[in-house]
Amino acid sequence: MNDSATLSVNPAPPARERWALPVWHTLRGRLIISVALVHVVLMGLFTWEAVDRQSQELRQEMVNQGRSLASLMVVASTNALLAEDLASLAEVTRRVAEREDVAYGEIVDVRGFVMASTREGRVGRPAGPVIESSELFPLAESDSVLDLREAVLIGDTEVGFVLLGLSTGNLERALAATRNRGIQYILLALVIGSVAAWLLSVTVTRNLHELTLAAKQIGDGDLGARVRVRSQDEAGTLALGFNLMAASLQRNSREIEREHRKRTEAERLACVGEMAASIAHEIRNPMVALINSAKLLGDPKLEAEDHAEVAHIVETESSRLQRILDDFLTFSRLPTARIVSADLEPLVTETIGLVRQDPRYAGRIAFECRYAENNRCRFDPDLIRQVLINLFLNAMQAMPAGGRLMIRLQRGERRMGVSIVDNGSGIPERIMSQISRPFFTGRKDGTGLGLSVVQRILAQHGTALSITSQEGAGTEVSFDLELESDG
Ligand SMILES: Nc1ncnc2c1ncn2[C@@H]1O[C@H](COP(=O)(O)OP(=O)(O)O)[C@@H](O)[C@H]1O
Ligand SMILES: [Mg+2]
């Protein structure tokens, strides 16, 4: 039914500024953190693997060196051990002690007594239990000596053994150096990786940032916004696509604007023409009647009783002229709404009182009111009174033989619904889409401005009229008003 359309625009939520985001939520941050993490993990694994391999190699080499040194001691001390030549045995241990990685060296006879030792006070004493640790060493973290035992054999007979302790200090130092170098490489990889990721991200995000700014400009109405195409890669293709899209948008928008201007101008001219024709048409009949009456009144032969009748015609026709002009004036000089918070009920009651006095319908219309308990809302009382008068009169004019007019105020969540229901003639389907147009009337003495005035006033209140009707059964017209907010 309704020939007015409501256009709703959802404003886009304000874009969060890039720099207000936590680092992890930006593309640049994610790229840098991911690349840095990958570098650190890879270099960490690589370093750990290198240190582990080097440590095994160094330990094996140390064991080998220890074994050959112990074998040398065995060879050098076999005869002296048989001859129990303590001086020669002492010479062997002294020479062994010259090596800086040797912690101790001892030669023990078959009974387990120490014959020569690099350690003070051990000669002549039992060697004690011997712990040999060539496979697993050091035995404990605190133990920094590798202990080796090598038997002195004549044929298959053991005539004694040598004990050799090698210090693991050098080994630990070498491993620590490798570990430190590994850490340095990890840090270097971290720095290089982050810088590379940053450079990459700058290229990518700069393009994205430009695209975002341009899209925002277009969103704000500047359809001339474009981005610079810097490269032939995916980012370049995207920028190119964006520019093509923006250009097409701009072309279409210009086209629509041109069309709109043309149409508005045509509509305006048609409206002016329609209005002029309508005014001429409306004014013509009363004017003709007035001119004729004036001629008659000027006729000296006019009878006294005819004189009274002509005077009556002059009065009714001039008040009809006045009504037509009043309607036109209300339509063309509608004031801007001054919206206040007020009760709707007293205004409705007062307006019913006004229209009830119209002698054309006096006593034939039964008014029925259903009000919400609290009906305070926001409106311009003078303009809404005008709306109610126009709608009440339309309903009453649709019930020339009398009828029932119901006014309903219904409170919604945020708005107050106002409905006016009559059981009059109803509106024929074929004129339904035209009744809100200015100067369209379905009645002989109508001006066709009542509903136009209503629509314009309601538009100032952020609402529109909705009409449902069934020919022969009646009509319901409704609109809503903003409820008074609690705050
Ligand atoms: N309640 C109603 N019942 C039947 N017809 C209606 C009703 N309200 C409006 N109309 C139709 O809409 C037309 C336009 O109404 P309006 O703009 O007020 O102009 P006017 O009352 O001067 O004709 C009316 O002439 C009438 O045909
Ligand atoms: Mg009307």
Side-chain angles (χ1 to χ4, degrees):
M1 69 29 42
N2 210 341
D3 60 343
S4 75
T6 318
L7 182 73
S8 86
V9 180
N10 290 335
R16 276 180 83 184
E17 298 295 348
R18 280 177 335 132
W19 41 86
L21 292 174
V23 178
W24 180 243
H25 287 184
T26 63
L27 194 60
R28 184 176 294 186
R30 284 184 199 170
L31 201 64
I32 293 175
I33 292 175
S34 312
V35 172
L37 217 64
V38 167
H39 272 76
V40 168
V41 169
L42 283 182
M43 279 310 290
L45 283 174
F46 178 74
T47 307
W48 182 75
E49 168 79 21
V51 169
D52 191 52
R53 193 162 356 98
Q54 196 194 17
S55 136
Q56 279 177 19
E57 281 169 11
L58 286 178
R59 278 159 200 239
Q60 194 52 54
E61 194 185 313
M62 193 173 170
V63 171
N64 293 346
Q65 275 182 10
R67 289 239 173 272
S68 44
L69 188 57
S71 300
L72 278 177
M73 281 176 74
V74 167
V75 172
S77 56
T78 309
N79 289 337
L81 202 60
L82 286 174
E84 294 194 0
D85 178 356
L86 293 183
S88 299
L89 291 175
E91 177 60 16
V92 171
T93 52
R94 193 190 56 74
R95 289 233 299 281
V96 164
E98 279 172 3
R99 285 183 57 141
E100 63 167 321
D101 56 342
V102 169
Y104 66 89
E106 281 175 355
I107 302 166
V108 185
D109 71 5
V110 73
R111 293 160 303 157
F113 284 98
V114 176
M115 305 293 281
S117 174
T118 56
R119 293 187 280 196
E120 285 286 314
R122 289 272 294 164
V123 177
R125 299 201 170 181
V130 176
I131 309 151
E132 184 174 12
S133 52
S134 58
E135 299 301 326
L136 280 165
F137 83 95
L139 289 171
E141 285 206 3
S142 56
D143 187 359
S144 55
V145 176
L146 164 69
D147 301 297
L148 292 167
R149 178 189 187 281
E150 194 76 28
V152 182
L153 299 169
I154 302 290
D156 285 337
T157 321
E158 186 174 312
V159 295
F161 55 88
V162 300
L163 290 176
L164 182 65
L166 288 183
S167 157
T168 58
N170 283 348
L171 173 92
E172 295 303 337
R173 269 192 294 281
L175 289 180
T178 310
R179 224 176 280 128
N180 286 343
R181 228 175 8 256
I183 290 170
Q184 284 165 8
Y185 282 135
I186 289 176
L187 290 177
L188 196 64
L190 186 70
V191 172
I192 292 175
S194 303
V195 169
W198 181 75
L199 285 176
L200 182 68
S201 71
V202 164
T203 329
V204 176
T205 53
R206 186 177 50 190
N207 289 322
L208 286 182
H209 184 51
E210 276 181 19
L211 273 171
T212 313
L213 285 184
K216 200 165 175 299
Q217 265 173 286
I218 287 180
D220 290 344
D222 175 11
L223 296 181
R226 298 288 182 274
V227 285
R228 205 146 24 115
V229 182
R230 300 170 189 278
S231 57
Q232 307 275 317
D233 58 9
E234 290 88 335
T237 315
L238 180 63
L240 207 63
F242 180 89
N243 286 347
L244 286 175
M245 183 199 70
S248 152
L249 208 62
Q250 195 175 27
R251 257 197 319 276
N252 288 347
S253 153
R254 278 198 200 122
E255 191 65 32
I256 291 171
E257 209 174 301
R258 245 197 318 272
E259 271 303 308
H260 179 69
R261 227 180 288 137
K262 249 197 282 180
R263 195 129 35 101
T264 320
E265 183 59 18
E267 269 169 18
R268 203 180 62 83
L269 289 176
C271 189
V272 169
E274 218 175 320
M275 191 191 282
S278 180
I279 293 174
H281 179 79
E282 293 292 325
I283 288 181
R284 199 163 171 199
N285 290 345
M287 283 299 273
V288 169
L290 283 176
I291 291 167
N292 289 341
S293 306
K295 275 187 200 152
L296 283 173
L297 287 176
D299 189 346
K301 285 181 276 172
L302 190 70
E303 300 285 329
E305 60 213 55
D306 291 340
H307 193 281
E309 196 181 325
V310 174
H312 178 68
I313 293 174
V314 168
E315 193 195 322
T316 48
E317 290 305 311
S318 26
S319 53
R320 188 168 158 203
L321 260 183
Q322 190 177 24
R323 184 168 50 78
I324 294 168
L325 291 177
D326 279 351
D327 270 8
F328 282 129
L329 281 180
T330 316
F331 176 74
S332 55
R333 289 210 203 130
L334 205 59
T336 314
R338 275 198 302 247
I339 292 179
V340 295
S341 288
D343 269 335
L344 200 51
E345 186 187 326
L347 184 71
V348 175
T349 316
E350 176 203 315
T351 313
I352 291 174
L354 271 179
V355 294
R356 228 184 202 145
Q357 290 164 9
D358 193 319
R360 285 172 296 174
Y361 316 98
R364 272 179 287 150
I365 308 286
F367 286 87
E368 189 183 323
C369 305
R370 294 188 193 166
Y371 298 138
E373 243 168 48
N374 172 4
N375 48 55
R376 269 190 93 72
C377 37
R378 296 183 44 75
F379 57 92
D380 178 326
D382 287 335
L383 291 180
I384 292 298
R385 182 187 298 109
Q386 182 70 55
V387 165
L388 293 174
I389 289 176
N390 289 8
L391 296 178
F392 288 171
L393 284 179
N394 277 354
M396 289 155 77
Q397 281 154 1
M399 304 184 284
R404 188 173 53 90
L405 207 166
M406 182 168 75
I407 299 105
R408 207 168 42 211
L409 305 185
Q410 236 170 346
R411 235 181 120 88
E413 203 176 305
R414 288 163 175 240
R415 302 185 73 90
M416 169 76 82
V418 182
S419 304
I420 293 138
V421 189
D422 66 64
N423 60 352
S425 60
I427 304 169
E429 182 69 40
R430 74 196 139 77
I431 65 163
M432 192 58 141
S433 60
Q434 306 177 60
I435 56 170
S436 294
R437 272 179 44 203
F439 308 114
F440 178 87
T441 177
R443 295 186 295 112
K444 230 172 62 236
D445 58 344
T447 56
L449 290 172
L451 289 181
S452 305
V453 168
V454 168
Q455 293 282 34
R456 283 179 57 190
I457 293 176
L458 292 183
Q460 292 199 51
H461 287 75
T463 179
L465 194 66
S466 86
I467 308 175
T468 49
S469 180
Q470 205 183 347
E471 204 176 350
T475 305
E476 170 169 358
V477 293
S478 46
F479 60 92
D480 55 25
L481 293 172
E482 191 189 341
L483 284 175
E484 184 190 42
S485 57
D486 298 332

